PDB file of all heavy atoms in Angstrom:
ATOM      1  N   VAL A   1      50.597  28.189  44.973  1.00 98.00           N
ATOM      2  CA  VAL A   1      52.010  28.134  45.158  1.00 98.00           C
ATOM      3  C   VAL A   1      52.287  28.248  46.657  1.00 98.00           C
ATOM      4  O   VAL A   1      51.665  29.041  47.367  1.00 98.00           O
ATOM      5  CB  VAL A   1      52.674  29.324  44.448  1.00 98.00           C
ATOM      6  CG1 VAL A   1      54.153  29.389  44.735  1.00 98.00           C
ATOM      7  CG2 VAL A   1      52.455  29.277  42.946  1.00 98.00           C
ATOM      8  N   ARG A   2      53.241  27.436  47.155  1.00 97.00           N
ATOM      9  CA  ARG A   2      53.663  27.565  48.554  1.00 97.00           C
ATOM     10  C   ARG A   2      55.191  27.587  48.576  1.00 97.00           C
ATOM     11  O   ARG A   2      55.870  26.839  47.858  1.00 97.00           O
ATOM     12  CB  ARG A   2      53.180  26.392  49.396  1.00 97.00           C
ATOM     13  CG  ARG A   2      51.711  26.478  49.621  1.00 97.00           C
ATOM     14  CD  ARG A   2      51.276  25.537  50.719  1.00 97.00           C
ATOM     15  NE  ARG A   2      49.827  25.630  50.839  1.00 97.00           N
ATOM     16  CZ  ARG A   2      49.119  24.901  51.651  1.00 97.00           C
ATOM     17  NH1 ARG A   2      49.697  24.033  52.444  1.00 97.00           N
ATOM     18  NH2 ARG A   2      47.805  25.021  51.710  1.00 97.00           N
ATOM     19  N   PHE A   3      55.724  28.375  49.482  1.00 97.00           N
ATOM     20  CA  PHE A   3      57.188  28.445  49.740  1.00 97.00           C
ATOM     21  C   PHE A   3      57.409  28.242  51.186  1.00 97.00           C
ATOM     22  O   PHE A   3      56.836  28.837  52.048  1.00 97.00           O
ATOM     23  CB  PHE A   3      57.649  29.862  49.332  1.00 97.00           C
ATOM     24  CG  PHE A   3      59.058  30.084  49.662  1.00 97.00           C
ATOM     25  CD1 PHE A   3      60.093  29.524  48.919  1.00 97.00           C
ATOM     26  CD2 PHE A   3      59.413  30.928  50.723  1.00 97.00           C
ATOM     27  CE1 PHE A   3      61.414  29.709  49.228  1.00 97.00           C
ATOM     28  CE2 PHE A   3      60.770  31.118  51.050  1.00 97.00           C
ATOM     29  CZ  PHE A   3      61.753  30.547  50.316  1.00 97.00           C
ATOM     30  N   ARG A   4      58.301  27.252  51.471  1.00 96.00           N
ATOM     31  CA  ARG A   4      58.626  26.858  52.879  1.00 96.00           C
ATOM     32  C   ARG A   4      60.108  26.955  53.046  1.00 96.00           C
ATOM     33  O   ARG A   4      60.885  26.458  52.230  1.00 96.00           O
ATOM     34  CB  ARG A   4      58.099  25.467  53.181  1.00 96.00           C
ATOM     35  CG  ARG A   4      58.345  25.056  54.581  1.00 96.00           C
ATOM     36  CD  ARG A   4      57.748  23.682  54.888  1.00 96.00           C
ATOM     37  NE  ARG A   4      56.318  23.812  54.771  1.00 96.00           N
ATOM     38  CZ  ARG A   4      55.491  22.823  54.480  1.00 96.00           C
ATOM     39  NH1 ARG A   4      55.980  21.652  54.233  1.00 96.00           N
ATOM     40  NH2 ARG A   4      54.191  23.027  54.435  1.00 96.00           N
ATOM     41  N   THR A   5      60.550  27.612  54.118  1.00 96.00           N
ATOM     42  CA  THR A   5      61.982  27.711  54.432  1.00 96.00           C
ATOM     43  C   THR A   5      62.184  27.771  55.944  1.00 96.00           C
ATOM     44  O   THR A   5      61.280  28.029  56.693  1.00 96.00           O
ATOM     45  CB  THR A   5      62.564  28.973  53.774  1.00 96.00           C
ATOM     46  OG1 THR A   5      63.941  28.989  53.934  1.00 96.00           O
ATOM     47  CG2 THR A   5      61.922  30.256  54.403  1.00 96.00           C
ATOM     48  N   LEU A   6      63.404  27.498  56.371  1.00 94.00           N
ATOM     49  CA  LEU A   6      63.820  27.654  57.714  1.00 94.00           C
ATOM     50  C   LEU A   6      64.296  29.105  57.923  1.00 94.00           C
ATOM     51  O   LEU A   6      65.090  29.647  57.112  1.00 94.00           O
ATOM     52  CB  LEU A   6      64.905  26.724  58.117  1.00 94.00           C
ATOM     53  CG  LEU A   6      64.510  25.256  58.199  1.00 94.00           C
ATOM     54  CD1 LEU A   6      65.724  24.375  58.531  1.00 94.00           C
ATOM     55  CD2 LEU A   6      63.419  25.062  59.259  1.00 94.00           C
ATOM     56  N   PHE A   7      63.750  29.794  58.888  1.00 80.00           N
ATOM     57  CA  PHE A   7      64.073  31.166  59.137  1.00 80.00           C
ATOM     58  C   PHE A   7      64.338  31.348  60.649  1.00 80.00           C
ATOM     59  O   PHE A   7      63.445  31.147  61.452  1.00 80.00           O
ATOM     60  CB  PHE A   7      62.885  32.041  58.720  1.00 80.00           C
ATOM     61  CG  PHE A   7      63.126  33.531  58.955  1.00 80.00           C
ATOM     62  CD1 PHE A   7      63.956  34.220  58.138  1.00 80.00           C
ATOM     63  CD2 PHE A   7      62.399  34.180  59.951  1.00 80.00           C
ATOM     64  CE1 PHE A   7      64.136  35.586  58.358  1.00 80.00           C
ATOM     65  CE2 PHE A   7      62.592  35.523  60.151  1.00 80.00           C
ATOM     66  CZ  PHE A   7      63.467  36.226  59.368  1.00 80.00           C
ATOM     67  N   ALA A   8      65.601  31.672  60.963  1.00 84.00           N
ATOM     68  CA  ALA A   8      66.037  31.906  62.346  1.00 84.00           C
ATOM     69  C   ALA A   8      65.661  30.679  63.253  1.00 84.00           C
ATOM     70  O   ALA A   8      65.168  30.832  64.343  1.00 84.00           O
ATOM     71  CB  ALA A   8      65.378  33.147  62.892  1.00 84.00           C
ATOM     72  N   GLY A   9      65.876  29.497  62.728  1.00 88.00           N
ATOM     73  CA  GLY A   9      65.618  28.256  63.488  1.00 88.00           C
ATOM     74  C   GLY A   9      64.162  27.897  63.517  1.00 88.00           C
ATOM     75  O   GLY A   9      63.802  26.967  64.245  1.00 88.00           O
ATOM     76  N   SER A  10      63.287  28.603  62.826  1.00 93.00           N
ATOM     77  CA  SER A  10      61.834  28.322  62.789  1.00 93.00           C
ATOM     78  C   SER A  10      61.445  28.084  61.388  1.00 93.00           C
ATOM     79  O   SER A  10      62.150  28.438  60.393  1.00 93.00           O
ATOM     80  CB  SER A  10      61.056  29.454  63.433  1.00 93.00           C
ATOM     81  OG  SER A  10      61.440  29.643  64.731  1.00 93.00           O
ATOM     82  N   GLU A  11      60.230  27.498  61.161  1.00 95.00           N
ATOM     83  CA  GLU A  11      59.755  27.209  59.815  1.00 95.00           C
ATOM     84  C   GLU A  11      58.776  28.354  59.393  1.00 95.00           C
ATOM     85  O   GLU A  11      57.859  28.662  60.133  1.00 95.00           O
ATOM     86  CB  GLU A  11      59.019  25.902  59.822  1.00 95.00           C
ATOM     87  CG  GLU A  11      58.480  25.503  58.462  1.00 95.00           C
ATOM     88  CD  GLU A  11      57.817  24.193  58.478  1.00 95.00           C
ATOM     89  OE1 GLU A  11      58.428  23.156  58.305  1.00 95.00           O
ATOM     90  OE2 GLU A  11      56.562  24.215  58.715  1.00 95.00           O
ATOM     91  N   LEU A  12      59.011  28.882  58.218  1.00 94.00           N
ATOM     92  CA  LEU A  12      58.145  29.908  57.645  1.00 94.00           C
ATOM     93  C   LEU A  12      57.552  29.412  56.375  1.00 94.00           C
ATOM     94  O   LEU A  12      58.239  28.907  55.509  1.00 94.00           O
ATOM     95  CB  LEU A  12      58.952  31.200  57.370  1.00 94.00           C
ATOM     96  CG  LEU A  12      58.222  32.338  56.700  1.00 94.00           C
ATOM     97  CD1 LEU A  12      57.191  32.929  57.600  1.00 94.00           C
ATOM     98  CD2 LEU A  12      59.214  33.428  56.271  1.00 94.00           C
ATOM     99  N   THR A  13      56.244  29.469  56.233  1.00 96.00           N
ATOM    100  CA  THR A  13      55.520  29.106  55.050  1.00 96.00           C
ATOM    101  C   THR A  13      54.677  30.235  54.568  1.00 96.00           C
ATOM    102  O   THR A  13      53.922  30.820  55.277  1.00 96.00           O
ATOM    103  CB  THR A  13      54.617  27.856  55.341  1.00 96.00           C
ATOM    104  OG1 THR A  13      55.376  26.829  55.882  1.00 96.00           O
ATOM    105  CG2 THR A  13      53.857  27.417  54.060  1.00 96.00           C
ATOM    106  N   ILE A  14      54.820  30.521  53.268  1.00 97.00           N
ATOM    107  CA  ILE A  14      54.009  31.592  52.584  1.00 97.00           C
ATOM    108  C   ILE A  14      53.329  30.918  51.367  1.00 97.00           C
ATOM    109  O   ILE A  14      53.930  30.166  50.648  1.00 97.00           O
ATOM    110  CB  ILE A  14      54.892  32.735  52.112  1.00 97.00           C
ATOM    111  CG1 ILE A  14      55.650  33.361  53.290  1.00 97.00           C
ATOM    112  CG2 ILE A  14      54.117  33.747  51.358  1.00 97.00           C
ATOM    113  CD1 ILE A  14      56.698  34.344  52.878  1.00 97.00           C
ATOM    114  N   GLY A  15      52.047  31.176  51.218  1.00 98.00           N
ATOM    115  CA  GLY A  15      51.354  30.514  50.105  1.00 98.00           C
ATOM    116  C   GLY A  15      50.217  31.431  49.514  1.00 98.00           C
ATOM    117  O   GLY A  15      49.748  32.320  50.177  1.00 98.00           O
ATOM    118  N   PHE A  16      49.914  31.158  48.266  1.00 98.00           N
ATOM    119  CA  PHE A  16      48.800  31.813  47.575  1.00 98.00           C
ATOM    120  C   PHE A  16      48.043  30.729  46.795  1.00 98.00           C
ATOM    121  O   PHE A  16      48.625  29.911  46.194  1.00 98.00           O
ATOM    122  CB  PHE A  16      49.347  32.908  46.615  1.00 98.00           C
ATOM    123  CG  PHE A  16      50.148  33.944  47.259  1.00 98.00           C
ATOM    124  CD1 PHE A  16      51.545  33.904  47.284  1.00 98.00           C
ATOM    125  CD2 PHE A  16      49.519  35.007  47.889  1.00 98.00           C
ATOM    126  CE1 PHE A  16      52.264  34.869  47.896  1.00 98.00           C
ATOM    127  CE2 PHE A  16      50.239  36.032  48.474  1.00 98.00           C
ATOM    128  CZ  PHE A  16      51.681  35.936  48.500  1.00 98.00           C
ATOM    129  N   GLU A  17      46.717  30.819  46.849  1.00 98.00           N
ATOM    130  CA  GLU A  17      45.883  29.874  46.108  1.00 98.00           C
ATOM    131  C   GLU A  17      44.725  30.592  45.443  1.00 98.00           C
ATOM    132  O   GLU A  17      44.249  31.606  45.972  1.00 98.00           O
ATOM    133  CB  GLU A  17      45.306  28.835  47.078  1.00 98.00           C
ATOM    134  CG  GLU A  17      46.302  28.015  47.821  1.00 98.00           C
ATOM    135  CD  GLU A  17      45.772  27.085  48.853  1.00 98.00           C
ATOM    136  OE1 GLU A  17      44.565  27.136  49.114  1.00 98.00           O
ATOM    137  OE2 GLU A  17      46.544  26.295  49.412  1.00 98.00           O
ATOM    138  N   GLY A  18      44.345  30.099  44.294  1.00 98.00           N
ATOM    139  CA  GLY A  18      43.207  30.691  43.594  1.00 98.00           C
ATOM    140  C   GLY A  18      42.395  29.647  42.913  1.00 98.00           C
ATOM    141  O   GLY A  18      42.840  28.534  42.647  1.00 98.00           O
ATOM    142  N   ALA A  19      41.099  29.955  42.646  1.00 98.00           N
ATOM    143  CA  ALA A  19      40.223  29.041  41.997  1.00 98.00           C
ATOM    144  C   ALA A  19      39.227  29.768  41.136  1.00 98.00           C
ATOM    145  O   ALA A  19      38.913  30.970  41.412  1.00 98.00           O
ATOM    146  CB  ALA A  19      39.466  28.232  43.084  1.00 98.00           C
ATOM    147  N   ALA A  20      38.669  29.105  40.156  1.00 98.00           N
ATOM    148  CA  ALA A  20      37.616  29.687  39.296  1.00 98.00           C
ATOM    149  C   ALA A  20      36.649  28.545  39.032  1.00 98.00           C
ATOM    150  O   ALA A  20      37.028  27.391  38.775  1.00 98.00           O
ATOM    151  CB  ALA A  20      38.237  30.147  37.957  1.00 98.00           C
ATOM    152  N   LEU A  21      35.338  28.909  39.055  1.00 96.00           N
ATOM    153  CA  LEU A  21      34.274  27.944  38.703  1.00 96.00           C
ATOM    154  C   LEU A  21      33.607  28.448  37.441  1.00 96.00           C
ATOM    155  O   LEU A  21      33.115  29.642  37.399  1.00 96.00           O
ATOM    156  CB  LEU A  21      33.237  27.853  39.803  1.00 96.00           C
ATOM    157  CG  LEU A  21      31.994  27.047  39.467  1.00 96.00           C
ATOM    158  CD1 LEU A  21      32.353  25.552  39.223  1.00 96.00           C
ATOM    159  CD2 LEU A  21      30.918  27.113  40.539  1.00 96.00           C
ATOM    160  N   LEU A  22      33.620  27.645  36.415  1.00 95.00           N
ATOM    161  CA  LEU A  22      32.915  27.959  35.108  1.00 95.00           C
ATOM    162  C   LEU A  22      31.662  27.134  35.105  1.00 95.00           C
ATOM    163  O   LEU A  22      31.684  25.938  34.797  1.00 95.00           O
ATOM    164  CB  LEU A  22      33.869  27.598  33.956  1.00 95.00           C
ATOM    165  CG  LEU A  22      35.296  28.087  34.050  1.00 95.00           C
ATOM    166  CD1 LEU A  22      36.130  27.533  32.943  1.00 95.00           C
ATOM    167  CD2 LEU A  22      35.319  29.626  34.075  1.00 95.00           C
ATOM    168  N   PRO A  23      30.554  27.709  35.534  1.00 93.00           N
ATOM    169  CA  PRO A  23      29.314  26.986  35.750  1.00 93.00           C
ATOM    170  C   PRO A  23      28.733  26.361  34.454  1.00 93.00           C
ATOM    171  O   PRO A  23      28.870  26.914  33.381  1.00 93.00           O
ATOM    172  CB  PRO A  23      28.299  27.975  36.297  1.00 93.00           C
ATOM    173  CG  PRO A  23      29.120  29.153  36.672  1.00 93.00           C
ATOM    174  CD  PRO A  23      30.373  29.169  35.905  1.00 93.00           C
ATOM    175  N   GLY A  24      28.110  25.210  34.609  1.00 90.00           N
ATOM    176  CA  GLY A  24      27.476  24.508  33.476  1.00 90.00           C
ATOM    177  C   GLY A  24      25.941  24.716  33.498  1.00 90.00           C
ATOM    178  O   GLY A  24      25.419  25.556  34.226  1.00 90.00           O
TER     179      GLY A  24
END
């Protein structure tokens, strides 16, 4: 998930990412 907004005339981006590997 990423959230991007203009904040005080500047760009602010906040994000979280996750992954899982189910081995074969």
Side-chain angles (χ1 to χ4, degrees):
V1 175
R2 287 194 184 177
F3 174 74
R4 182 175 295 154
T5 187
L6 289 177
F7 178 73
S10 301
E11 182 181 272
L12 175 67
T13 304
I14 301 171
F16 301 97
E17 299 175 354
L21 174 64
L22 312 173

